[in-house]
Amino acid sequence: MAHDIRPFEEIRMLFANLPATSEEAVAAVRARDAQLTKPPGALGRLEEIVEWLAAWQGVAEPAIARPLVAVYAGNHGVVAQGVSAFPASVTEQMVQNFMSGGAAINQICKAHDIGLKVYELALERPTQDFTLAPAMDEREAAATFAYGFEAIEGGIDLLAPGEMGIGNTTSAAAIYAALYGGPASRWTGRGTGVDEEGLARKNAAIDAALALHGPHLTDPLEILRRLGGREIAAMMGAITAARLNNVPVVLDGYVVCAAAALLHAIAPDAVAHCVAGHVSPEGGHREVLARMGKKPLLDLGMRLGEGSGAGLAIAIVKTALACHRDMATFESAGVSGKDA
């Protein structure tokens, strides 16, 4: 008699045979780069970016025709503990702001010709307060993970997950503390701008959650369902779907990297197709990137979320590709090469 496979087991099975990079595509990019009108290595990380695109898209001539910032919005029950300077209703209000074109991410996407989609995740029904109970049950967490796969539909070729959710920096900090240890204060920041009392409540809420759920926090998927949020689950799904479909990913900041860190804990190779768009001053983000082996493209002091840092980083990625694709070669420009 066949046994039903539990939802989390289905997720774990996705990481058993992840697609690898195309070494042939990387070799082709390097061969062209060697002919461009510049000294070898003169464009620094821009050259590495093109190799990364080719490796994960699996083609000798990588393209960015349909980049997408996918913003996931979710509400968190832990807001009841006074961990945010803003009420949970702001999540829905900001979603409306995205829809009407009034947020920072709208301007970034418009300026750099990047697609933008916003996904609302049951905003009328916050997750459970994780100081009292698991934020989600296994089935809901897995279903939300699966929902994240929608981000790659329509033939996108570069993905930047983003998020919106009052209380989600508390959730992210709790995830980091569960993954990496130490008290909450090692990982928390001021989020939406809480004062000293608010920061103390935030730390206390996380420490209470770690004590309540402690015996179950050895499994990254249990960490997700007990301490995470719907937007974090959906972003995990989106990043995984991108990997399975040869779509490179640009990571945003503090909260997005909580999703990436959980994937990294399941299987380090699960985020090999990701680059860090920027480093945020929020909490322990810089240390999280170091633990995942990610060097940020930008360091602008941004801590907004919304996919804003990743959106700006896509402009850098586009520039790198344009240089590689459109620069003249020594032969076509009639420029003498190094050994001429």
Side-chain angles (χ1 to χ4, degrees), residues 11 20 28 72 74 118 127 172 177 183 189 193 203 217-218 229 233 241 243 252 254 286 293 310 326 331 338:
I11 291 176
Y72 295 92
V118 181
T127 55
N203 288 330
L217 301 181
T218 57
R243 176 57 179 277
D252 195 46
Y254 183 80
R286 192 177 296 274
D326 299 333
E331 182 179 4
K338 182 177 179 182

Side-chain angles (χ1 to χ4, degrees), residues 301-324:
M302 295 174 64
R303 54 181 185 85
L304 176 62
E306 304 179 3
S308 54
L312 273 179
I314 288 176
I316 302 296
V317 176
K318 282 188 163 193
T319 302
L321 183 58
C323 288
H324 177 81

Side-chain angles (χ1 to χ4, degrees), residues 175-335:
I175 288 168
Y176 295 141
L179 286 174
Y180 305 133
S185 57
R186 177 178 174 182
W187 303 104
T188 52
R190 295 188 181 273
T192 52
V194 292
D195 57 16
E196 287 297 326
E197 292 182 357
L199 185 60
R201 289 192 297 270
K202 189 173 185 176
N203 288 330
I206 294 168
D207 286 333
L210 295 174
L212 176 64
H213 303 291
H216 306 280
L217 301 181
T218 57
D219 176 358
L221 291 175
E222 279 294 308
I223 294 173
L224 167 66
R225 84 169 188 90
R226 291 173 178 275
L227 304 178
R230 295 189 188 99
E231 72 273 57
I232 293 173
M235 290 189 296
M236 289 176 68
I239 294 167
T240 303
R243 176 57 179 277
L244 295 173
N245 288 273
N246 302 108
V247 177
V249 172
V250 181
L251 298 173
D252 195 46
Y254 183 80
V255 178
V256 169
C257 282
L262 288 168
L263 292 171
H264 184 263
I266 296 169
D269 188 47
V271 292
H273 63 308
C274 303
V275 296
H278 79 127
V279 60
S280 167
E282 179 72 16
H285 187 226
R286 192 177 296 274
E287 181 178 344
V288 172
L289 291 180
R291 286 175 176 270
M292 291 194 292
K294 305 295 184 186
K295 183 179 179 182
L297 294 178
L298 299 171
D299 184 355
L300 300 175
M302 295 174 64
R303 54 181 185 85
L304 176 62
E306 304 179 3
S308 54
L312 273 179
I314 288 176
I316 302 296
V317 176
K318 282 188 163 193
T319 302
L321 183 58
C323 288
H324 177 81
R325 183 189 60 222
D326 299 333
M327 280 179 67
T329 63
F330 285 105
E331 182 179 4
S332 69
V335 175

Side-chain angles (χ1 to χ4, degrees), residues 12 31 34 42 56 70 73 91 96 103 122 145 195 197 215 225 280 283 286 301 313 320 334 336:
R12 275 185 259 272
W56 292 108
T91 302
Q96 295 305 311
F145 179 101
D195 57 16
E197 292 182 357
R225 84 169 188 90
S280 167
R286 192 177 296 274
S336 299

Side-chain angles (χ1 to χ4, degrees), residues 91-163:
T91 302
E92 185 169 3
Q93 292 164 4
M94 279 302 299
V95 166
Q96 295 305 311
N97 195 28
F98 298 144
M99 297 296 193
S100 63
I105 190 57
N106 297 98
Q107 318 322 316
I108 291 169
C109 288
K110 184 178 179 181
H112 301 292
D113 195 22
I114 303 167
L116 175 64
K117 289 185 179 179
V118 181
Y119 298 89
E120 297 182 58
L121 301 167
L123 297 183
E124 75 286 351
R125 185 170 55 87
T127 55
Q128 297 295 309
D129 180 347
F130 64 44
T131 67
L132 304 174
M136 296 174 281
D137 63 30
E138 180 172 336
R139 188 166 299 279
E140 179 182 17
T144 309
F145 179 101
Y147 179 69
F149 274 53
E150 290 191 11
I152 59 130
E153 293 180 355
I156 70 163
D157 46 30
L158 185 65
L159 174 67
E163 44 63 41

Side-chain angles (χ1 to χ4, degrees), residues 41-86:
L43 286 176
R45 290 192 71 189
L46 296 187
E47 298 176 17
E48 297 172 13
I49 287 169
V50 181
E51 292 181 13
W52 163 75
L53 281 174
W56 292 108
Q57 289 185 351
V59 293
E61 298 180 0
I64 305 176
R66 297 195 64 182
L68 178 70
V69 173
V71 179
Y72 295 92
N75 273 323
H76 296 255
V78 73
V79 169
Q81 300 298 322
V83 299
S84 174
F86 291 88

